[in-house]
Amino acid sequence: SGSMAERTKFVSYCIYSFCISAFIYPVSGHWIWGGGWLAGLGFHDFAGSAAVHNVGGIIAMLGAWMLGPRIGKYDKDGKAHAIPGHNMTATALGVFILWFCWYGFNGAAATETGQLARIFVTTTIAPSVALLVAMIYTWIRNKKPDLVMSMNASLAGLVGVTAGCSNVDIIGSLVIGVVSGFLVMGVTWLLEHVLHLDDCVGAVPVHFANGIWGIIAVGLFDVDDGLFYSGNASLLGVQCLGII
């Protein structure tokens, strides 16, 4: 709902939330987590980069496209104008709360303490690295760090590591974070300046783009079956099929 924030009737939220909960998520959730065909193929999405974030990101993208841009977002020549949020303190607090709660989100399905410890480590490294990447890049490019982009990058790192949080190591989560940081910036630019899709809070770059990256990353960095660890691309193939 973030991509359509404050410009959609409340009843519309109620209708689409009902449709997602009743018809969409039960199908994709069963494929991944309910013993469905993707689970049978060995598809790995521990806490929901695809099941939660990518599904939500696709819906956010469709919603923003259907709504069209906010008044004043684009001028007659199609040039994009920034419409900054009114309270960065509240925004930063919101991001902090999200990050804090992500330890429960990713850790809830842990079956033993060693696995939980790994989840907590990877859920810390990926967003931290993604935030630093965005902060340093925007600092160099704009002569000052971009707070909003840095915060969105931390969420992008969290989404990116959600699928593999229990099955990637420190190096894997570092790389996931680096890619997430650049990916969220690139997709934000693409939506705003090329596709002219007005996403108020960056829900599509964070959840859609990094949901895809999180699933692919498992196929590369899974410590048992990832391409870079086992030399076998079969898991990567299953992950790509699943995201399609």
Side-chain angles (χ1 to χ4, degrees), residues 205-225:
V206 170
H207 298 283
F208 172 72
N210 282 281
I212 293 172
W213 163 234
I215 293 300
I216 294 170
V218 172
L220 299 173
F221 299 109
D222 185 287
V223 292
D224 298 318
D225 301 313

Side-chain angles (χ1 to χ4, degrees), residues 90-121:
T91 305
L93 179 61
V95 170
F96 171 78
I97 292 168
L98 273 169
W99 190 337
F100 180 76
C101 293
W102 224 287
Y103 292 104
F105 183 84
N106 281 358
T111 53
E112 45 94 17
T113 51
Q115 186 186 48
L116 186 64
R118 171 176 288 210
I119 291 166
F120 282 178
V121 169

